[in-house]
Amino acid sequence: MHALREAFAAVRRAPLLTALSAAMVALALFVVGLFGLVAHNLHLTLDRIEDRVEVVAYLRDDVRSEELAITEQELTALPEVDRVRYVSKDDALIQARQEMSEFQELFADLEFNPLPASLELALVPGNRDPETVARISEQVGLYPFVEDVRYGEEWVERLFLLRHMAGITAGVLGAGFALVAALIIATAIRIAIFARREEIFVMRLVGAKDGFIRRPFLLEGLFTGLVGGLFAVLLTYSAYAAVYSLIFPLEWLPPEWVLFGVLVGGGFGLVASTFAVRRYLREV
Amino acid sequence: MIKLADVTKDFPKRGPPALQKVTFHIRKGEFAFLTGHSGSGKSTTLRLIHMAHRPTGGEVRVSGFSSALTSEREVWKLRRRVGMVFQDFRLLPSRTALENITFALEVTGTPRPQLIPRAQRLLSKVGLSSKAGSRAHELSGGEQQRVAIARALATEPLVLLADEPSGNLDERATRGVLELFHELNASGMCVLMATHDLDLVRRFPGARVLELNEGRLAYDSGAVS
């Protein structure tokens, strides 16, 4: 109770210092928030592109419907395969006419349908990497009535290379931003505690227990970090809203990321206070 | 009450040891001056007694606490038995005289309803009842030192350490503060005062004098031969 009272009394006594510390925390986390926003949207975009990864097995014209039904069942049963869609020769031609309108004349002059029937295999998310896709393609190609299997080998490899690089870049940059934010927050909290080092001195001098001395400062650090984290969310949301309405639509951060960001602010504040108080506790 | 046995204190990279093989024993209720030039080791001795520093060699024993056995976590127990005042008072300048005392009382566990009555009693004891509402920085040097003494008494210590308490005071304030120390001593409190001012020491011919010179105990008027 004393800790809570002292923590709020400290905020009341030096509101400007608390506000400045919280603002520093907010700005540091705002940069991390902006980075998170970019990383999240990049991730979603790559996810959407990855959704288009599929294996297409082109079938010979003499495939029998019973064979086809069994094959569809077998392929659907594979854990990596999400669903299997049969595209008949007629459907393939209709689809081609719709998707390739610039060849309308060519399609009109056709005397017979040259397009093969096919099986389109959509893969379960997490199984769209080049190795898995190649393995499934090889497996599908073993059926005697499968004439050819395509999955855009080069395209899938490039997509995964891009995804891999984006992951590493995001990890390194994210860690860098988080580190800078942590240092800024630690400095902000240290400044706030430095201003109250005399109180720590007096408390140690007269025989207050270390835990008793620490608690108000830890609460103050936690409070400053949480307030800074909340302001960082507001700033990030403002930036998101501005980009959404003025430049292009994008997705807001998942709620668990937002909660995590605010908690990280509080956590950084708490840890920074712990170290700063420890330093002054050693002085007396 | 305070016992130093062969105490050495060495601060690495700061030249010769601050204290070398210092031994003395101050008994319960005694009033002692610790004298010597600047840098002779007076403040270091007080800080060792207050366990802000630990000896490099030897042992410090204060009111049942041994420097060898008291952990950092337990120092607070010693601090409640040993009050300390400084030349620069170390008050919280933006708080009133009363608040400086209630702060000390509160952080050492005094129940809230007792804070103000006890702080008022302590201020009255040092003759500053009328200044309870004045902020520390508005008080004179002598008054600030009295508030510091009242704060040191908050935990009803058995020992009072004073590090050059009159260093920033004029003649009149010095006299008042010294009288206060003597009153406290007369009530049974052990007082150890570090000072380089020999005039001050001469005013109290009955007090014990310990003189430090370059970290060694050069003279002890109360030594038992």
Side-chain angles (χ1 to χ4, degrees):
Chain A
M1 199 59 200
H2 162 85
L4 206 60
R5 214 172 34 241
E6 266 304 306
F8 282 103
V11 173
R12 267 204 318 276
R13 263 184 235 118
L16 187 65
L17 190 63
T18 309
L20 281 173
S21 306
M24 279 173 80
V25 174
L27 287 174
L29 289 177
F30 173 49
V31 176
V32 179
L34 283 182
F35 173 75
L37 203 57
V38 172
H40 177 58
N41 279 277
L42 186 66
H43 183 77
L44 287 179
T45 308
L46 287 172
D47 272 355
R48 271 182 223 119
I49 296 171
E50 201 186 291
D51 277 346
R52 287 158 60 187
V53 172
E54 59 179 14
V55 176
V56 182
Y58 295 103
L59 309 173
R60 285 163 57 153
D61 287 351
D62 57 357
V63 61
R64 285 181 299 179
S65 57
E66 309 86 70
E67 282 178 321
L68 200 60
I70 293 168
T71 306
E72 272 191 70
Q73 275 178 14
E74 285 176 356
L75 292 175
T76 308
L78 291 174
E80 298 89 348
V81 176
D82 188 23
R83 61 185 184 279
V84 178
R85 187 168 81 99
Y86 171 69
V87 180
S88 67
K89 283 171 73 71
D90 293 343
D91 289 343
L93 188 61
I94 292 166
Q95 202 175 320
R97 280 182 169 142
Q98 281 170 354
E99 288 176 6
M100 294 184 273
S101 52
E102 62 272 30
F103 298 114
Q104 281 304 336
E105 282 179 23
L106 188 70
F107 287 131
D109 294 341
L110 286 176
E111 289 175 7
F112 67 97
N113 181 356
L115 300 176
S118 63
L119 287 174
E120 291 178 359
L121 280 71
L123 301 176
V124 172
N127 289 289
R128 293 161 180 163
D129 56 286
E131 291 76 27
T132 310
V133 178
R135 185 162 49 77
I136 298 292
S137 302
E138 206 180 313
Q139 215 168 326
V140 175
L142 294 175
Y143 287 99
F145 49 82
V146 172
E147 205 159 39
D148 191 14
V149 183
R150 298 275 173 89
Y151 65 90
E153 187 178 349
E154 204 174 309
W155 181 78
V156 170
E157 276 175 5
R158 277 192 189 161
L159 174 68
F160 273 83
L161 182 66
L162 179 68
R163 186 164 203 128
H164 190 60
M165 283 171 63
I168 291 174
T169 312
V172 171
L173 279 178
F177 282 136
L179 184 68
V180 171
L183 290 174
I184 292 173
I185 292 167
T187 308
I189 301 285
R190 265 181 81 167
I191 291 169
I193 290 180
F194 178 80
R196 297 176 57 206
R197 66 196 181 286
E198 276 300 306
E199 282 180 31
I200 297 176
F201 177 88
V202 171
M203 285 194 264
R204 278 281 281 178
L205 180 74
V206 297
K209 294 180 197 173
D210 282 0
F212 188 90
I213 298 171
R214 268 195 207 106
R215 278 194 288 273
F217 290 97
L218 300 193
L219 276 176
E220 203 182 323
L222 178 71
F223 174 76
T224 309
L226 286 176
V227 169
L230 285 171
F231 272 112
V233 170
L234 281 178
L235 288 171
T236 311
Y237 190 81
S238 307
Y240 155 79
V243 172
Y244 191 95
S245 59
L246 300 173
I247 307 173
F248 55 83
L250 71 171
E251 293 285 330
W252 174 237
L253 295 169
E256 59 270 23
W257 285 33
V258 175
L259 184 66
F260 181 72
V262 175
L263 293 179
V264 161
F268 277 170
L270 196 66
V271 172
S273 303
T274 308
F275 282 104
V277 174
R278 187 189 292 176
R279 189 187 151 198
Y280 292 113
L281 281 177
R282 280 202 218 110
E283 283 187 3
V284 192
Chain B
M1 182 62 48
I2 302 172
K3 200 168 186 177
L4 273 72
D6 277 336
V7 170
T8 297
K9 180 62 187 173
D10 200 0
F11 293 103
K13 299 175 189 170
R14 280 204 223 165
L19 287 181
Q20 294 183 66
K21 300 271 181 190
V22 172
T23 299
F24 63 77
H25 180 196
I26 296 172
R27 284 163 287 273
K28 194 176 171 188
E30 216 173 347
F31 191 114
F33 284 107
L34 188 60
T35 66
H37 298 293
S38 292
S40 59
K42 302 186 295 294
S43 294
T44 302
T45 305
L46 293 191
R47 289 178 71 80
L48 283 166
I49 294 168
H50 209 229
M51 291 195 193
H53 291 324
R54 298 302 174 116
T56 315
E59 187 190 11
V60 178
R61 289 187 74 86
V62 188
S63 185
F65 290 88
S66 160
S67 60
L69 302 173
T70 309
S71 70
E72 273 304 311
R73 283 171 175 269
E74 291 174 323
V75 167
W76 64 270
K77 293 177 187 167
L78 165 91
R79 301 271 167 89
R80 292 191 188 185
R81 294 197 192 181
V82 182
M84 190 163 183
V85 293
F86 302 88
Q87 180 176 351
D88 56 356
F89 324 123
R90 305 299 294 259
L91 297 176
L92 301 174
S94 59
R95 300 197 190 199
T96 64
L98 191 77
E99 285 168 348
N100 266 280
I101 320 248
T102 54
F103 181 74
L105 288 166
E106 190 176 13
V107 300
T108 49
T110 304
R112 276 181 77 73
Q114 293 177 28
L115 289 177
I116 292 176
R118 280 189 63 184
Q120 283 170 333
R121 272 202 299 279
L122 286 165
L123 275 179
S124 159
K125 196 169 186 172
V126 298
L128 273 185
S129 294
S130 60
K131 300 281 184 175
S134 304
R135 295 196 185 280
H137 66 84
E138 296 164 351
L139 299 172
S140 70
E143 288 167 340
Q144 287 191 56
Q145 194 58 284
R146 282 167 183 271
V147 175
I149 294 169
R151 181 183 66 189
L153 300 178
T155 53
E156 297 174 359
L158 304 169
V159 179
L160 187 57
L161 306 175
D163 193 359
E164 303 277 3
S166 60
N168 283 340
L169 306 183
D170 60 25
E171 172 56 30
R172 190 160 164 248
T174 298
R175 207 180 318 125
V177 166
L178 284 178
E179 276 168 18
L180 187 54
F181 278 118
H182 268 274
E183 280 169 25
L184 293 169
N185 177 243
S187 68
M189 190 177 288
C190 176
V191 178
L192 177 60
M193 186 185 297
T195 180
H196 66 277
D197 184 356
L198 292 178
D199 286 341
L200 202 73
V201 178
R202 283 186 204 107
R203 285 190 221 172
F204 298 95
R208 182 171 168 190
V209 180
L210 299 141
E211 188 187 343
L212 287 170
N213 185 19
E214 293 181 351
R216 291 179 188 277
L217 188 64
Y219 172 73
D220 181 357
S221 69
V224 181
S225 53

